[in-house]
Amino acid sequence: MAGNPVPIPAKTGPHAKILCIDDLRIAATKKLPAGARDFYNSGSTDQLTLHENTSAYNKYRLRPRVLVDVSGCNPSTTCFASPVSFPLGVSPAGLQAMAHPSGELATARACARRGVSMCISSFANYSVSEIRAAGLGVRGDMRHAMQLYTMKDRALEEKILRKAEAEGCSAVFLTADSPVLGVRYNEWRNDFRTPKGLNFPALEWDSRDIQGRTHDDGFMSFNDDGHNWARDIPWLRSVTKMEIWIKGVLTAEDTLKAIEMGCDGVLVSNHGGRQLDGVAATIDALPECVAAAAGRIRIHVDGGIRSGTDMFKALALGAEHVWVGRPAIWGLAYDGEKGVDLMLDTFYNEFKRCMQLTGCNSVKDITKACLGVVRSDGPLARL
């Protein structure tokens, strides 16, 4: 999937004013109805974690090496044992067709074109087979993961897993931080309901099943708050050969538990600040998870990543790969598939440029030595 590095394009044409991900957020927000905008952009309760996911990156500073030949800089790496053009994938954001009618199909095509992976949400508005076909139609070796909750209906949960595996998905991302939903005030204030005509094929819900129901109603009707390590991980192993990743880990203890249970990877995540407010920003939780892993399990991270420099910082702190959710939604809302292309190109170009300006020719060159942290008394402290 890596292919040849894509040259940095000049900013001309209809996207000339979209210079960064925050520009994309602002432009997309103007196009979204208030209910959809708040559903996508808001977090739980006081939204402390939502905001700190992004602001926490600001305390880290880059330590560049100069007079390094970076003419051969190559940001490619691997994800799910397959080459990708750079270490970023699109997280399992649900209800993408609310941002643009093409929804996950557009996202899959854009990811395939850029040579990166995508995780399909259980709340996708298109089926796994449709999403896979859209990506594979652009690039034949595109990799997808399937996001899954623990469900009261074990037969349906198994059906989702087997369907995903049969369609060629490489991994299952088990969302582990959601025994119940976090309280999102804006959804309650707006009385948010799934728009008419949108289906959730993976869950076998069509618009008639969900019409008039809140997101909370739908979630609580199928989610199993009795989930646990001892029951669910061995069961997953018994029904699928896909890689098993735990999404929602924020502590060393749970990283060690994932290793003990034989999981393939951990996604350091706080659900984009949409679950328990007041937990650590993912970039602050990442170092203890990396230390606990000690190379025994793969560590990825999502949450609040808004630039190629943020990506670089996450890799310097030990993540192998990062995932973004809301930026893909903003791309869709701004200009459909072309908007997601723009989002991915922006991250790619910023990340590669950051690598070059810090003297890194490959992702393996990105280490703790590339970062410092701002001290209260002024001097930069090395990590």
Side-chain angles (χ1 to χ4, degrees):
M1 290 174 68
N4 295 321
V6 177
I8 297 174
K11 285 290 184 180
T12 58
H15 302 315
K17 294 183 180 179
I18 305 296
L19 302 177
C20 61
I21 298 301
D22 201 51
D23 285 349
L24 187 62
R25 176 188 64 81
I26 293 168
T29 296
K30 291 177 181 177
K31 292 191 172 188
L32 287 167
R37 179 194 65 218
D38 287 346
F39 175 81
Y40 290 135
N41 290 353
S42 298
S44 61
T45 56
D46 296 325
Q47 303 187 101
L48 177 67
T49 297
L50 171 76
H51 297 298
E52 286 191 349
N53 267 352
T54 296
S55 65
Y57 280 88
N58 294 335
K59 63 175 162 288
Y60 296 102
R61 296 291 183 269
L62 304 173
R63 300 184 65 253
R65 299 298 305 274
V66 299
L67 289 177
V68 178
D69 179 359
V70 291
S71 58
C73 177
N74 183 355
S76 67
T77 184
T78 61
C79 181
F80 309 134
S82 181
V84 290
S85 64
F86 74 126
L88 179 141
V90 171
S91 295
L95 273 171
Q96 292 187 25
M98 187 169 66
H100 186 274
S102 296
E104 293 86 3
L105 305 184
T107 301
R109 288 190 288 262
C111 286
R113 190 174 300 112
R114 173 40 77 186
V116 298
S117 299
M118 172 186 175
C119 186
I120 301 168
S121 171
S122 294
F123 283 94
N125 298 127
Y126 289 90
S127 70
V128 174
S129 58
E130 290 173 312
I131 297 166
R132 284 286 290 158
L136 294 173
V138 175
R139 197 178 194 107
D141 60 351
M142 176 167 186
R143 296 299 181 104
H144 282 95
M146 182 71 208
Q147 178 270 333
L148 190 70
Y149 294 96
T150 49
M151 299 172 64
K152 295 172 183 174
D153 186 342
R154 273 291 208 227
L156 178 57
E157 185 174 359
E158 182 174 347
K159 187 176 181 179
I160 293 170
L161 285 164
R162 294 197 184 280
K163 177 65 173 176
E165 186 169 348
E167 292 293 342
C169 290
S170 301
V172 55
F173 279 13
L174 182 68
T175 297
D177 60 6
S178 305
V180 296
L181 274 187
V183 176
R184 302 159 194 169
Y185 292 151
N186 282 338
E187 289 181 28
W188 286 90
R189 288 169 179 145
N190 294 331
D191 191 27
F192 176 80
R193 312 271 170 160
T194 301
K196 292 181 179 180
L198 296 185
N199 303 322
F200 297 125
L203 298 172
E204 300 183 348
W205 295 350
D206 64 24
S207 57
R208 292 168 298 179
D209 297 319
I210 56 180
Q211 192 58 53
R213 298 170 75 182
T214 67
H215 190 59
D216 280 24
D217 290 338
F219 183 83
M220 296 310 296
S221 70
F222 80 86
N223 187 63
D224 184 1
D225 58 5
H227 68 186
N228 62 81
W229 291 94
R231 184 194 70 179
D232 291 292
I233 306 308
W235 180 82
L236 284 173
R237 280 285 180 221
S238 74
V239 297
T240 185
K241 294 180 180 178
M242 291 187 291
E243 294 183 15
I244 297 173
W245 287 65
I246 307 302
K247 180 180 182 293
V249 169
L250 292 170
T251 63
E253 292 89 340
D254 281 336
T255 303
L256 292 171
K257 192 67 178 178
I259 295 169
E260 176 190 337
M261 299 303 298
C263 299
D264 297 286
V266 159
L267 180 55
V268 177
S269 174
N270 54 35
H271 217 109
R274 291 168 64 81
Q275 279 298 100
L276 178 60
D277 195 29
V279 300
T282 51
I283 193 65
D284 290 335
L286 176 63
E288 74 168 84
C289 296
V290 169
R296 294 171 292 173
I297 193 169
R298 310 193 88 81
I299 303 287
H300 292 188
V301 66
D302 72 6
I305 296 161
R306 299 293 179 260
S307 69
T309 300
D310 290 346
M311 289 180 60
F312 185 95
K313 291 175 180 179
L315 266 64
L317 288 172
E320 293 185 1
H321 187 279
V322 308
W323 297 80
V324 297
R326 288 184 177 94
I329 296 295
W330 297 331
L332 283 172
Y334 174 65
D335 195 16
E337 188 173 329
K338 291 180 181 178
V340 185
D341 284 335
L342 175 62
M343 179 274 292
L344 292 170
D345 288 346
T346 300
F347 272 114
Y348 178 92
N349 294 331
E350 289 179 352
F351 179 68
K352 182 177 179 181
R353 190 180 296 249
C354 186
M355 287 180 63
Q356 291 174 303
L357 290 174
T358 52
C360 296
N361 276 297
S362 74
V363 294
K364 292 181 179 178
D365 296 333
I366 304 172
T367 69
K368 280 186 179 180
C370 299
L371 286 190
V373 65
V374 177
R375 283 175 23 182
S376 59
D377 57 353
L380 190 68
R382 294 188 63 173
L383 298 182

